Amino acid sequence: MRGEAHSRAMKSLSEVSRYVKVHGYFADEIPTILDAIKKWKNEGRRVYGSPQEKCGDDVPKQKNCWECEPFEQVYA
């Protein structure tokens, strides 16, 4: 994880993907794939790309000004 090859790979993530989320931790046992994915979704750090709800990220709600708000509130 601290080697040169890992460092180069991490720096090239934006060239080979549109979304990257990472999570690393120490454990006494290898987790099940489902436990690892749950931990990644809940505790991972998004490094690159737009937030993805399916990956556990908080996705801000889009606001379309005049379509969502009464006309008087937008142009008051």
Side-chain angles (χ1 to χ4, degrees):
M1 187 170 96
R2 294 185 181 164
E4 182 64 30
H6 185 264
S7 178
R8 281 194 314 265
M10 295 303 289
K11 289 176 183 175
S12 70
L13 287 174
S14 65
E15 297 172 18
V16 297
S17 63
R18 289 183 281 167
Y19 177 85
V20 176
K21 184 173 185 174
V22 298
H23 182 56
Y25 60 96
F26 294 100
D28 294 328
E29 299 177 352
I30 297 173
T32 67
I33 190 72
L34 294 177
D35 287 342
I37 290 172
K38 184 177 179 181
K39 204 164 197 45
W40 173 80
K41 280 185 174 183
N42 294 330
E43 300 174 25
R45 176 176 56 92
R46 187 173 48 85
V47 176
Y48 182 79
S50 301
Q52 302 289 318
E53 188 172 349
K54 66 183 179 182
C55 296
D57 301 334
D58 290 329
V59 179
K61 300 292 181 204
Q62 293 275 332
K63 195 173 181 183
N64 296 331
C65 79
W66 62 272
E67 293 178 332
C68 298
E69 300 291 333
F71 185 80
E72 295 80 20
Q73 290 180 7
V74 175
Y75 295 101

